[in-house]
Amino acid sequence: MRLIQDDAATISATLVELVNTHGCDLVLTTGGTGPARRDVTPEATLAVATKPMPGFGEQMRQISLNFVPTAILSRQIAVIRETADHAALIVNLPGQPKSIRETLEGLKDADGKTEVPGIFAAVPYCIDLIGGPYIETRPGVIAAFRPKSAIRPPKA
């Protein structure tokens, strides 16, 4: 975890360092995704991206709209950053812990059954597709979605 200045140059440089130097396969940012003038995280992220992944932002807003009408003001995004020998998924999450949990986990009914999948369900397969490690989740917390052909037996 890193706490950095909220300016575009610092954010972009940190994302590049985490992916290019440290080899991170997944980078999550929190906050800086609103419409305020100081909110520059999406621009800083797009500046280092090679591929936008708009479905992540669309799903985060869809989930958040079930809780607050101001979710339409959010500018959460996700991108892929590729280098010659590595790729990473970068996701800009909201700033509030409750909103982060909701967008990652999705909507659940009173019995805890998922009604609308959170974005984390798609993260492991996305990382598979960009050449990263095979990530397993705890299905009782968040079940990763993969097509049947991409599912590997659990490690013993």
Side-chain angles (χ1 to χ4, degrees):
M1 183 172 116
R2 289 199 182 171
L3 183 60
I4 61 169
Q5 264 181 260
D6 198 8
D7 70 84
T10 301
I11 295 167
S12 290
T14 302
L15 294 173
V16 168
E17 177 188 352
L18 290 169
V19 175
N20 294 25
T21 304
H22 298 291
C24 293
D25 298 296
L26 173 64
V27 178
L28 304 174
T29 68
T30 60
T33 59
R37 290 181 180 191
R38 71 181 185 280
D39 293 330
V40 296
T41 303
E43 289 77 15
T45 302
L46 288 168
V48 302
T50 50
K51 292 180 185 172
M53 300 295 291
F56 283 95
E58 293 164 7
Q59 184 70 358
M60 286 188 272
R61 283 182 287 282
Q62 178 189 4
I63 292 166
S64 295
L65 277 168
N66 287 276
F67 300 101
V68 293
T70 55
I72 60 172
L73 301 177
S74 102
R75 299 180 313 118
Q76 290 128 355
I77 63 165
V79 303
I80 302 295
R81 174 170 175 77
E82 297 172 315
T83 66
D85 59 350
H86 182 71
L89 174 63
I90 302 171
V91 182
N92 296 161
L93 297 170
Q96 297 298 315
K98 180 179 182 287
S99 298
I100 293 169
R101 183 179 304 109
E102 291 164 353
T103 57
L104 289 174
E105 294 178 2
L107 298 175
K108 300 185 187 275
D109 65 17
D111 297 324
K113 183 179 179 213
T114 300
E115 291 182 341
V116 178
I119 63 156
F120 201 82
V123 168
Y125 186 50
C126 181
I127 292 173
D128 290 351
L129 292 172
I130 62 173
Y134 188 85
I135 297 172
E136 295 182 40
T137 62
R138 292 185 186 157
V141 179
I142 297 175
F145 173 81
R146 286 183 171 96
K148 288 179 184 176
S149 62
I151 296 172
R152 297 181 194 167
K155 290 184 179 178

